[in-house]
PDB file of all heavy atoms in Angstrom:
ATOM      1  N   SER A 194     -38.735 -36.053 -36.305  1.00 97.00           N
ATOM      2  CA  SER A 194     -39.541 -36.225 -37.492  1.00 97.00           C
ATOM      3  C   SER A 194     -39.139 -37.455 -38.330  1.00 97.00           C
ATOM      4  O   SER A 194     -39.748 -37.799 -39.289  1.00 97.00           O
ATOM      5  CB  SER A 194     -39.517 -35.023 -38.424  1.00 97.00           C
ATOM      6  OG  SER A 194     -40.060 -33.885 -37.653  1.00 97.00           O
ATOM      7  N   LEU A 195     -38.052 -38.019 -37.878  1.00 96.00           N
ATOM      8  CA  LEU A 195     -37.524 -39.183 -38.641  1.00 96.00           C
ATOM      9  C   LEU A 195     -38.449 -40.412 -38.446  1.00 96.00           C
ATOM     10  O   LEU A 195     -38.711 -40.774 -37.279  1.00 96.00           O
ATOM     11  CB  LEU A 195     -36.078 -39.511 -38.114  1.00 96.00           C
ATOM     12  CG  LEU A 195     -35.233 -40.347 -38.992  1.00 96.00           C
ATOM     13  CD1 LEU A 195     -34.872 -39.714 -40.347  1.00 96.00           C
ATOM     14  CD2 LEU A 195     -33.897 -40.627 -38.301  1.00 96.00           C
ATOM     15  N   THR A 196     -38.958 -40.996 -39.516  1.00 96.00           N
ATOM     16  CA  THR A 196     -39.910 -42.076 -39.417  1.00 96.00           C
ATOM     17  C   THR A 196     -39.279 -43.433 -39.618  1.00 96.00           C
ATOM     18  O   THR A 196     -39.890 -44.438 -39.234  1.00 96.00           O
ATOM     19  CB  THR A 196     -41.118 -41.825 -40.397  1.00 96.00           C
ATOM     20  OG1 THR A 196     -40.534 -41.774 -41.765  1.00 96.00           O
ATOM     21  CG2 THR A 196     -41.863 -40.549 -40.083  1.00 96.00           C
ATOM     22  N   SER A 197     -38.257 -43.539 -40.398  1.00 95.00           N
ATOM     23  CA  SER A 197     -37.612 -44.820 -40.617  1.00 95.00           C
ATOM     24  C   SER A 197     -36.167 -44.682 -40.982  1.00 95.00           C
ATOM     25  O   SER A 197     -35.666 -43.542 -41.334  1.00 95.00           O
ATOM     26  CB  SER A 197     -38.309 -45.568 -41.756  1.00 95.00           C
ATOM     27  OG  SER A 197     -38.074 -44.874 -43.069  1.00 95.00           O
ATOM     28  N   ILE A 198     -35.398 -45.683 -40.723  1.00 96.00           N
ATOM     29  CA  ILE A 198     -33.976 -45.596 -41.083  1.00 96.00           C
ATOM     30  C   ILE A 198     -33.554 -46.988 -41.493  1.00 96.00           C
ATOM     31  O   ILE A 198     -33.961 -48.026 -40.930  1.00 96.00           O
ATOM     32  CB  ILE A 198     -33.165 -45.084 -39.904  1.00 96.00           C
ATOM     33  CG1 ILE A 198     -31.727 -44.555 -40.374  1.00 96.00           C
ATOM     34  CG2 ILE A 198     -33.060 -46.036 -38.761  1.00 96.00           C
ATOM     35  CD1 ILE A 198     -31.180 -43.492 -39.433  1.00 96.00           C
ATOM     36  N   THR A 199     -32.621 -46.975 -42.461  1.00 97.00           N
ATOM     37  CA  THR A 199     -32.085 -48.350 -42.981  1.00 97.00           C
ATOM     38  C   THR A 199     -30.601 -48.393 -42.681  1.00 97.00           C
ATOM     39  O   THR A 199     -29.829 -47.444 -43.073  1.00 97.00           O
ATOM     40  CB  THR A 199     -32.288 -48.532 -44.478  1.00 97.00           C
ATOM     41  OG1 THR A 199     -33.826 -48.500 -44.644  1.00 97.00           O
ATOM     42  CG2 THR A 199     -31.730 -49.876 -44.991  1.00 97.00           C
ATOM     43  N   ILE A 200     -30.104 -49.414 -42.081  1.00 98.00           N
ATOM     44  CA  ILE A 200     -28.733 -49.618 -41.762  1.00 98.00           C
ATOM     45  C   ILE A 200     -28.122 -50.474 -42.890  1.00 98.00           C
ATOM     46  O   ILE A 200     -28.560 -51.649 -43.069  1.00 98.00           O
ATOM     47  CB  ILE A 200     -28.508 -50.272 -40.429  1.00 98.00           C
ATOM     48  CG1 ILE A 200     -29.326 -49.558 -39.307  1.00 98.00           C
ATOM     49  CG2 ILE A 200     -27.044 -50.376 -40.102  1.00 98.00           C
ATOM     50  CD1 ILE A 200     -28.951 -48.188 -39.008  1.00 98.00           C
ATOM     51  N   PRO A 201     -27.095 -49.947 -43.600  1.00 98.00           N
ATOM     52  CA  PRO A 201     -26.578 -50.749 -44.764  1.00 98.00           C
ATOM     53  C   PRO A 201     -25.663 -51.874 -44.200  1.00 98.00           C
ATOM     54  O   PRO A 201     -25.327 -51.946 -43.055  1.00 98.00           O
ATOM     55  CB  PRO A 201     -25.750 -49.739 -45.463  1.00 98.00           C
ATOM     56  CG  PRO A 201     -25.348 -48.707 -44.505  1.00 98.00           C
ATOM     57  CD  PRO A 201     -26.541 -48.672 -43.548  1.00 98.00           C
ATOM     58  N   SER A 202     -25.264 -52.713 -45.138  1.00 98.00           N
ATOM     59  CA  SER A 202     -24.455 -53.898 -44.759  1.00 98.00           C
ATOM     60  C   SER A 202     -23.106 -53.573 -44.213  1.00 98.00           C
ATOM     61  O   SER A 202     -22.445 -54.344 -43.503  1.00 98.00           O
ATOM     62  CB  SER A 202     -24.344 -54.831 -45.952  1.00 98.00           C
ATOM     63  OG  SER A 202     -23.751 -54.232 -46.994  1.00 98.00           O
ATOM     64  N   SER A 203     -22.610 -52.396 -44.576  1.00 98.00           N
ATOM     65  CA  SER A 203     -21.265 -51.995 -44.218  1.00 98.00           C
ATOM     66  C   SER A 203     -21.070 -51.568 -42.715  1.00 98.00           C
ATOM     67  O   SER A 203     -19.919 -51.559 -42.217  1.00 98.00           O
ATOM     68  CB  SER A 203     -20.797 -50.775 -45.052  1.00 98.00           C
ATOM     69  OG  SER A 203     -21.830 -49.727 -44.890  1.00 98.00           O
ATOM     70  N   VAL A 204     -22.169 -51.290 -42.072  1.00 98.00           N
ATOM     71  CA  VAL A 204     -22.020 -50.712 -40.649  1.00 98.00           C
ATOM     72  C   VAL A 204     -21.622 -51.834 -39.701  1.00 98.00           C
ATOM     73  O   VAL A 204     -22.320 -52.867 -39.621  1.00 98.00           O
ATOM     74  CB  VAL A 204     -23.387 -50.051 -40.211  1.00 98.00           C
ATOM     75  CG1 VAL A 204     -23.395 -49.807 -38.777  1.00 98.00           C
ATOM     76  CG2 VAL A 204     -23.687 -48.864 -41.088  1.00 98.00           C
ATOM     77  N   THR A 205     -20.579 -51.611 -39.005  1.00 98.00           N
ATOM     78  CA  THR A 205     -20.068 -52.527 -37.997  1.00 98.00           C
ATOM     79  C   THR A 205     -20.173 -51.955 -36.589  1.00 98.00           C
ATOM     80  O   THR A 205     -19.915 -52.719 -35.641  1.00 98.00           O
ATOM     81  CB  THR A 205     -18.539 -52.903 -38.285  1.00 98.00           C
ATOM     82  OG1 THR A 205     -17.742 -51.688 -38.270  1.00 98.00           O
ATOM     83  CG2 THR A 205     -18.458 -53.602 -39.632  1.00 98.00           C
ATOM     84  N   SER A 206     -20.452 -50.717 -36.408  1.00 98.00           N
ATOM     85  CA  SER A 206     -20.557 -50.094 -35.133  1.00 98.00           C
ATOM     86  C   SER A 206     -21.668 -49.089 -34.961  1.00 98.00           C
ATOM     87  O   SER A 206     -21.758 -48.221 -35.841  1.00 98.00           O
ATOM     88  CB  SER A 206     -19.188 -49.511 -34.689  1.00 98.00           C
ATOM     89  OG  SER A 206     -19.281 -48.831 -33.479  1.00 98.00           O
ATOM     90  N   ILE A 207     -22.566 -49.262 -34.025  1.00 98.00           N
ATOM     91  CA  ILE A 207     -23.567 -48.309 -33.745  1.00 98.00           C
ATOM     92  C   ILE A 207     -23.468 -47.907 -32.311  1.00 98.00           C
ATOM     93  O   ILE A 207     -23.492 -48.789 -31.377  1.00 98.00           O
ATOM     94  CB  ILE A 207     -25.002 -48.873 -33.981  1.00 98.00           C
ATOM     95  CG1 ILE A 207     -25.142 -49.288 -35.467  1.00 98.00           C
ATOM     96  CG2 ILE A 207     -26.103 -47.795 -33.627  1.00 98.00           C
ATOM     97  CD1 ILE A 207     -26.489 -49.984 -35.783  1.00 98.00           C
ATOM     98  N   GLY A 208     -23.257 -46.640 -32.017  1.00 97.00           N
ATOM     99  CA  GLY A 208     -22.931 -46.137 -30.727  1.00 97.00           C
ATOM    100  C   GLY A 208     -24.240 -46.067 -29.841  1.00 97.00           C
ATOM    101  O   GLY A 208     -25.370 -46.314 -30.186  1.00 97.00           O
ATOM    102  N   ARG A 209     -24.000 -45.723 -28.566  1.00 95.00           N
ATOM    103  CA  ARG A 209     -25.081 -45.670 -27.568  1.00 95.00           C
ATOM    104  C   ARG A 209     -26.075 -44.566 -27.950  1.00 95.00           C
ATOM    105  O   ARG A 209     -25.648 -43.477 -28.275  1.00 95.00           O
ATOM    106  CB  ARG A 209     -24.387 -45.304 -26.165  1.00 95.00           C
ATOM    107  CG  ARG A 209     -23.680 -46.398 -25.663  1.00 95.00           C
ATOM    108  CD  ARG A 209     -22.752 -45.947 -24.446  1.00 95.00           C
ATOM    109  NE  ARG A 209     -23.595 -45.406 -23.360  1.00 95.00           N
ATOM    110  CZ  ARG A 209     -23.808 -46.142 -22.227  1.00 95.00           C
ATOM    111  NH1 ARG A 209     -23.425 -47.392 -22.122  1.00 95.00           N
ATOM    112  NH2 ARG A 209     -24.521 -45.604 -21.245  1.00 95.00           N
TER     113      ARG A 209
END
Side-chain angles (χ1 to χ4, degrees):
S194 300
L195 198 63
T196 58
S197 68
I198 198 156
T199 299
I200 310 297
S202 61
S203 54
V204 172
T205 58
S206 174
I207 299 175
R209 291 164 63 99

